[in-house]
């Protein structure tokens, strides 16, 4: 008798659904949760301000943010070598040209 009462469910209304529920679009859900690119607004904000910090203040801030690791250190600037001047003058070259090539 218990088995007869526990018969197969008849195809009827699905009770798992909620009345008046709207099926959501997967694309709309993706767009809601997708990251927003704020680059354009940030650039507008940054370019709008005309205040520029002094170079000394900028260097001070950079020095404070620098760590002790070698990767945090600025690259060493190589000292520029002065080009060595020649001991010969233009007159010496002309004189050599006349002697060597025989030109007047």
């Amino acid at each position: 008798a218990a088995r007869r009462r526990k018969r197969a469910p008849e195809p009827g209304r699905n009770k798992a659904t909620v009345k008046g529920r709207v099926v959501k679009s997967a694309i709309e859900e993706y767009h809601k949760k997708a990251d927003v690119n704020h680059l354009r607004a940030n650039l507008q904000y940054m370019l709008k301000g005309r205040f520029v910090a002094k170079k000394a203040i900028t260097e001070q801030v950079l020095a404070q943010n620098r760590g002790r690791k070698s990767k945090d250190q600025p690259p060493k600037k190589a000292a520029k070598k002065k080009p060595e001047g020649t001991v010969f003058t233009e007159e010496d070259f002309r004189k050599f040209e006349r002697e060597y090539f025989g030109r007047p």
Side-chain angles (χ1 to χ4, degrees):
R3 284 184 188 155
R4 270 186 253 132
R5 278 189 238 129
K6 197 176 179 183
R7 63 180 181 223
E10 297 174 3
R13 185 174 71 89
N14 187 357
K15 294 180 183 173
T17 61
V18 179
K19 184 177 180 183
R21 182 173 180 208
V22 179
V23 178
K24 294 180 183 175
S25 169
I27 297 170
E28 289 175 8
E29 290 297 312
Y30 171 76
H31 286 303
K32 281 183 192 175
K33 295 178 182 177
D35 292 336
V36 181
N37 188 0
H38 298 287
L39 175 68
R40 187 175 304 283
N42 288 343
L43 283 175
Q44 290 285 332
Y45 176 77
M46 296 297 237
L47 293 173
K48 187 171 55 176
R50 294 288 178 213
F51 176 75
V52 179
K54 294 178 184 173
K55 186 164 181 137
I57 296 172
T58 309
E59 292 294 327
Q60 186 178 6
V61 171
L62 289 174
Q64 287 174 350
N65 291 331
R66 227 173 268 138
R68 294 183 62 182
K69 294 181 181 176
S70 62
K71 69 174 187 171
D72 295 334
Q73 299 302 318
K76 303 273 183 182
K77 294 182 180 176
K80 293 182 181 178
K81 293 182 180 178
K82 293 182 180 178
E84 295 179 10
T86 178
V87 258
F88 300 104
T89 62
E90 192 65 33
E91 187 59 40
D92 293 333
F93 284 116
R94 283 195 208 107
K95 184 178 175 186
F96 170 77
E97 189 178 57
R98 272 188 248 120
E99 292 174 358
Y100 192 78
F101 296 111
R103 294 181 182 164

